[in-house]
Amino acid sequence: MPGLPGAQHQPAGAPARRAPATSASGSKAASWQYAEHFVPESEAVERARTRARELGIAAVGNGAGALLQTLCAAVDARAVVEVGTGAGVSGLWMLGGMPRDGVLTTIDAEGEHLRAARTAFAELGVRSGRIRGITGRAVDVLPRLTEGGYDLVLLDADPIGTEAYLERAVRLLRPGGVVALHGALSADRAGDPAQRDPVTTAVRELSRALRSSPDLLPALVPSGEGLLLAARRR
């Protein structure tokens, strides 16, 4: 896998670093459920989520969507790239946090997904000029985008193929920009070393690559399927 800009790796044979011990009393399930639905979905997002289910697409949940919306507002995201359009659920959330002149570039290999997303955006009254929908593979499309020209990049596609373009995706960020990897918990398998299926293995590799780069400041948020965030140092 190609290294990220300035990435550092643990020397071979070095002992594995253990995570600091933590303690908790009681179940966290109720708190997680409360947090997931703390910000309610709009009707437009609900309709888009219904289309996603009909198409068999796993869309971001409420918690992750609300966090992406807040991030877009926090970094004043006028230029956002999304790999994996789905049916427009994540796009609607992010547009909610972007300024009125912000542009969302959304990439998906399936034209049917982009059509569903365009329907969702139109229902919300989003101007067509704010959406740049591109049908194609991210590995082919991302090299055509401007390096350092984007405020946020969301990776929400098959993790097995993401390693081929991860470095390029990070290079699209301006200083202070954020890359977000959705599905970083791999259906709660990522934290279990015994789970070595291809998807979980790919997610771990992507997460390690983002975490090990000295150019990035990472944080893993256990919302929904997991959202790994990494800000590019200024």
Side-chain angles (χ1 to χ4, degrees):
M1 174 180 177
L4 292 175
Q8 297 176 337
H9 302 282
Q10 189 172 338
R17 287 176 290 184
R18 294 180 179 275
T22 59
S23 61
S25 59
S27 173
K28 289 287 186 181
S31 293
W32 285 335
Q33 184 74 0
Y34 174 69
E36 280 295 296
H37 299 281
F38 181 73
V39 179
E41 289 186 336
S42 67
E43 291 182 4
V45 171
E46 289 178 357
R47 290 193 295 269
R49 191 176 298 285
T50 297
R51 294 189 193 97
R53 284 194 293 266
E54 292 170 351
L55 291 170
I57 300 169
V60 300
N62 281 45
L67 180 54
L68 288 169
Q69 179 175 256
T70 300
L71 280 172
C72 284
V75 302
D76 192 26
R78 299 177 180 277
V80 172
V81 174
E82 175 185 43
V83 177
T85 307
V89 173
S90 52
L92 287 172
W93 276 112
M94 291 190 293
L95 285 164
M98 295 167 65
R100 293 183 181 276
D101 60 348
V103 176
L104 171 65
T105 297
T106 183
I107 305 163
D108 204 294
E110 299 292 336
E112 186 179 17
H113 296 178
L114 281 164
R115 286 191 292 273
R118 288 193 182 100
T119 297
F121 301 148
E123 288 179 350
L124 193 63
V126 179
R127 291 184 292 104
S128 60
R130 295 189 60 198
I131 306 297
R132 182 164 60 153
I134 303 175
T135 304
R137 301 187 308 158
V139 70
D140 299 322
V141 175
L142 293 181
R144 306 203 302 264
L145 303 183
T146 303
E147 186 171 315
Y150 295 88
D151 305 297
L152 188 143
V153 176
L154 172 62
L155 305 177
D156 190 16
D158 186 350
I160 293 178
T162 302
E163 64 177 342
Y165 55 79
L166 179 62
E167 181 178 1
R168 179 62 191 182
V170 171
R171 289 186 181 277
L172 295 180
L173 293 174
R174 62 161 173 83
V178 175
V179 60
L181 174 66
H182 180 241
L185 292 180
S186 188
D188 296 322
R189 295 190 297 268
D192 181 358
Q195 301 296 325
R196 299 180 181 179
D197 60 278
V199 171
T200 302
T201 299
V203 166
R204 288 196 191 107
E205 289 295 326
L206 294 169
S207 299
R208 279 195 288 263
L210 290 174
R211 185 181 62 189
S212 66
S213 172
D215 298 323
L216 299 173
L217 293 169
L220 177 58
V221 182
S223 180
E225 290 299 309
L227 197 62
L228 176 60
L229 307 172
R232 186 155 195 174
R233 291 181 184 270
R234 296 182 184 274

